[in-house]
């Protein structure tokens, strides 16, 4: 009996104060600690996890009583790494900010980091992106990480969105917060939509920024966002006289280059900061996925594609390599990514359905490119190595709620297209949909995005959206305008 009581006490969620980590620099006006929760709530005697929490004081001397809790993306990013970005954007203007390092992420106990996969990504710039041998190497890296983590006693199946949502609910309770507001980004929106469905108590309002709908997210789902962003970037070029004059067929040129590189990959060498001179292989899949990086800094997209078409691949090669080298080796929790994707996304779509999504989005492209979902190449092979069970179908339930919700997106978002903000809003009776022209994945650090979000938290039924019409895509650079070569 005493041992049983001790186990029950140890597994009861609680908050323990602790010094703030300095991984991302000093955290001023912040107190920190750990949320202590069971690793697996289905097993009462499971070991506990200590999830890092930062409580950032409001910039106001008289803040509102309802704080903001921030849920970051990935899955696998460390929420504490976003604090500087959040405060610079003014998210703590008149509310305290609660930032949770989700289970398995870097600042929390037992992070599911995978240096094996970090090394694979660094090596991949030298390899053909779409080659089956490249997929084999990814699966092998996932298998090695899985073997190492499970040998340490980690239960990969316990790292999922439902457990994450329960962690968020426990955090509000143990901190004694009667009511709070949710700010979520990317995968964090999948978590937020699940949380508000499972644990609506105490949720005053929710912002979903770059939306991942739990009911439809699969590897093939990513194709729609890639196409939407591509069309919007090409359309923005056509709307700017100088870009239209210099690059009248830039969309067709890009698609032609994807086909040509897939048939005959190009190998070049470029210099990458902190990595030196590196070999880069560009095939069709690499070029298509370079669009994700380009969507965040789109000014030279047409110029870079035009250079590539004229036999100068160095600009795109350097940008592609810089996205993976030197990277944040050892800090991103690839294990959390795989546990979520392999249980909640992959099992709910067949390979044929995934391919069909690609063919619908880009009928102009070859099957070898379309076989690999954007950002998630060879994920099915990696999931075979990761070995987590399929999640219950309930994880994909549509969120229907009257909680005030702001769905905010950017038209250049190649990762979570703006269409998905409108999609989730259709079942949220008190929702506001905002789309910012020319903005990529993540709007909370854009001046207008930040203004809309903070005004939404002030008045969830009537946010100030007047700045939205003034947001325009950046002017595209044309040849001879001093664009440089990096």
């Amino acid at each position: 009996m005493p041992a049983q009581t001790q186990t029950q006490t140890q597994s009861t969620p609680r908050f323990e104060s602790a010094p703030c980590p300095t991984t991302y620099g000093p955290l001023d006006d912040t107190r920190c600690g750990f949320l202590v929760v069971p690793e697996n709530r289905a097993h009462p005697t499971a070991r506990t996890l200590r999830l890092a929490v930062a409580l950032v004081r409001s910039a106001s001397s008289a803040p509102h009583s309802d704080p903001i809790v921030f849920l970051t993306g990935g899955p696998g990013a460390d929420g504490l790494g976003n604090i500087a970005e959040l405060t610079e954007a003014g998210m703590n203007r008149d509310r305290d900010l609660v930032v949770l390092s989700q289970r398995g992420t870097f600042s929390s106990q037992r992070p599911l980091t995978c240096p094996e996969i970090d090394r694979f990504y660094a090596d991949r710039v030298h390899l053909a992106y779409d080659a089956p041998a490249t997929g084999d190497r990814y699966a092998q890296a996932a298998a090695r990480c899985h073997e190492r983590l499970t040998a340490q006693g980690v239960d990969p199946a316990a790292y999922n969105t439902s457990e994450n949502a329960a962690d968020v609910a426990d955090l509000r309770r143990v901190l004694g917060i009667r009511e709070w507001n949710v700010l979520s980004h990317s995968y964090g929106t999948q978590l937020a939509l699940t949380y508000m469905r499972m644990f609506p108590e105490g949720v005053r309002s929710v912002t979903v920024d770059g939306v991942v709908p739990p009911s439809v997210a699969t590897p093939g789902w990513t194709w729609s966002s890639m196409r939407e962003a591509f069309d919007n970037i090409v359309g923005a070029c056509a709307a700017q006289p100088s870009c239209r004059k210099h690059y009248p067929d830039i969309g067709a040129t890009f698609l032609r280059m994807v086909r040509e590189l897939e048939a005959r990959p190009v190998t070049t060498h470029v210099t990458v900061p902190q990595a030196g001179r590196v070999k880069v292989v560009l095939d069709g899949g690499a070029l298509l996925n370079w669009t994700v990086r380009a969507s965040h800094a789109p000014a030279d997209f047409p110029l870079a594609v035009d250079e590539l078409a004229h036999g100068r691949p160095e600009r795109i090669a350097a940008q592609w390599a810089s996205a993976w080298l030197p990277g944040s080796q050892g800090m991103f929790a690839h294990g959390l990514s795989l546990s979520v994707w392999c249980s909640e996304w992959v099992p709910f779509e067949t390979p044929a359905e995934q391919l069909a999504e690609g063919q619908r989005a880009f009928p102009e492209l070859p099957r070898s490119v379309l076989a690999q979902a954007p950002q998630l190449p060879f994920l099915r092979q990696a999931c075979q190595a990761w070995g987590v069970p399929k999640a219950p179908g309930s994880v994909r339930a549509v969120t229907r709620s009257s909680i005030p919700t702001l769905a905010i997106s950017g038209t250049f978002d190649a990762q979570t297209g703006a269409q998905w903000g409108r999609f989730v809003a259709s079942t949220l009776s008190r929702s506001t949909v905002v789309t910012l022209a020319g903005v990529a994945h993540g709007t909370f650090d854009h001046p207008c995005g930040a203004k809309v979000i903070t005004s939404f938290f002030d008045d969830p039924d009537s946010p100030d959206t007047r700045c939205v019409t003034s947001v325009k895509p950046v002017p595209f650079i044309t040849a001879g305008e001093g664009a440089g070569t990096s």
Side-chain angles (χ1 to χ4, degrees), residues 114-179:
C114 292
E116 301 89 347
I117 294 178
D118 287 323
R119 288 192 291 271
F120 162 74
Y121 284 146
D123 290 341
R124 191 176 61 182
V125 301
H126 319 311
L127 308 171
Y129 186 89
D130 292 330
T134 303
D136 291 342
R137 291 179 65 160
Y138 177 35
Q140 291 162 10
R144 289 193 297 271
C145 182
H146 183 273
E147 181 179 3
R148 179 177 51 78
L149 290 174
T150 53
Q152 296 170 3
V154 170
D155 176 10
Y159 295 78
N160 56 58
T161 304
S162 298
E163 291 283 3
N164 263 343
D167 293 340
V168 178
D170 283 339
L171 180 61
R172 185 187 67 82
R173 287 193 290 268
V174 301
L175 292 178
I177 296 171
R178 185 184 68 83
E179 190 176 56

Side-chain angles (χ1 to χ4, degrees), residues 29 54-69 86-87 90-99 177 179-183 204-205 207 450-460:
D29 297 320
L55 308 172
V56 184
R57 188 175 293 112
S58 170
S60 169
S61 58
H64 296 292
S65 61
D66 50 306
I68 297 168
V69 60
L86 291 163
T87 56
M91 289 298 120
N92 67 327
R93 182 192 66 190
D94 49 20
R95 283 178 170 80
D96 292 342
L97 188 60
V98 180
V99 181
I177 296 171
E179 190 176 56
W180 66 6
N181 307 277
V182 178
L183 172 59
R204 175 178 174 268
S205 70
T207 292
K451 183 173 183 178
V452 171
I453 291 169
T454 52
S455 72
F456 168 76
F457 289 140
D458 288 341
D459 187 354

Side-chain angles (χ1 to χ4, degrees), residues 10-366:
Q10 287 178 342
S11 63
T12 301
R14 61 188 184 276
F15 180 78
E16 296 178 351
S17 295
C20 288
T22 58
T23 309
Y24 308 103
L27 297 177
D28 299 326
D29 297 320
T30 301
R31 64 186 182 93
C32 299
F34 291 98
L35 172 67
V36 183
V37 293
E39 182 180 49
N40 189 334
R41 290 175 172 81
H43 302 290
T45 59
R47 64 181 183 174
T48 56
L49 298 176
R50 291 160 58 84
L51 311 183
V53 178
L55 308 172
V56 184
R57 188 175 293 112
S58 170
S60 169
S61 58
H64 296 292
S65 61
D66 50 306
I68 297 168
V69 60
F70 177 69
L71 308 177
T72 196
D78 184 0
L80 270 61
N82 292 112
I83 291 176
E85 196 176 14
L86 291 163
T87 56
E88 288 169 9
M91 289 298 120
N92 67 327
R93 182 192 66 190
D94 49 20
R95 283 178 170 80
D96 292 342
L97 188 60
V98 180
V99 181
L100 171 67
S101 177
Q102 296 166 29
R103 56 175 50 214
T105 59
F106 184 74
S107 291
S108 291
Q109 185 188 49
R110 301 190 183 96
L112 271 59
T113 51
C114 292
E116 301 89 347
I117 294 178
D118 287 323
R119 288 192 291 271
F120 162 74
Y121 284 146
D123 290 341
R124 191 176 61 182
V125 301
H126 319 311
L127 308 171
Y129 186 89
D130 292 330
T134 303
D136 291 342
R137 291 179 65 160
Y138 177 35
Q140 291 162 10
R144 289 193 297 271
C145 182
H146 183 273
E147 181 179 3
R148 179 177 51 78
L149 290 174
T150 53
Q152 296 170 3
V154 170
D155 176 10
Y159 295 78
N160 56 58
T161 304
S162 298
E163 291 283 3
N164 263 343
D167 293 340
V168 178
D170 283 339
L171 180 61
R172 185 187 67 82
R173 287 193 290 268
V174 301
L175 292 178
I177 296 171
R178 185 184 68 83
E179 190 176 56
W180 66 6
N181 307 277
V182 178
L183 172 59
S184 60
H185 171 54
S186 195
Y187 163 73
T189 68
Q190 178 181 341
L191 172 55
L193 290 162
T194 302
Y195 168 59
M196 64 193 289
R197 176 175 59 81
M198 293 178 64
F199 305 101
E201 181 183 358
V203 181
R204 175 178 174 268
S205 70
V206 177
T207 292
V208 286
D209 178 0
V211 181
V212 180
S215 61
V216 298
T218 59
W221 164 81
T222 61
W223 280 111
S224 60
S225 298
M226 178 70 80
R227 184 75 206 207
E228 182 180 11
F230 172 73
D231 287 345
N232 287 337
I233 292 171
V234 170
C237 175
Q240 294 180 15
S242 177
C243 190
R244 182 173 66 248
K245 175 183 176 182
H246 283 82
Y247 313 112
D249 300 311
I250 198 62
T253 300
F254 177 87
L255 295 172
R256 173 171 60 84
M257 292 311 302
V258 172
R259 293 191 295 270
E260 290 186 6
L261 289 178
E262 190 67 4
R264 295 178 297 278
V266 168
T267 300
T268 187
H269 290 78
V270 296
T271 300
V272 176
Q274 301 180 49
R277 194 77 172 162
V278 297
K279 172 187 171 183
V280 179
V281 174
L282 292 178
D283 63 358
L287 178 59
L288 185 77
N289 282 270
W290 164 79
T291 306
V292 173
R293 182 268 170 206
S295 68
H296 288 269
D300 63 353
F301 175 88
L303 173 63
V305 172
D306 185 69
E307 288 177 344
L308 177 67
H310 287 87
R312 300 192 300 276
E314 292 79 13
R315 184 186 303 272
I316 288 177
Q319 293 177 356
W320 176 244
S322 295
W324 304 103
L325 297 169
S328 56
Q329 280 82 351
M331 297 182 70
F332 188 85
H334 298 288
L336 176 59
S337 302
L338 289 170
S339 286
V340 170
W341 291 333
C342 296
S343 64
E344 300 173 19
W345 289 30
V346 169
F348 293 91
E349 178 183 64
T350 67
E353 289 169 338
Q354 177 183 322
L355 177 62
E357 291 288 343
Q359 292 170 330
R360 271 192 290 271
F362 286 96
E364 313 94 331
L365 299 184

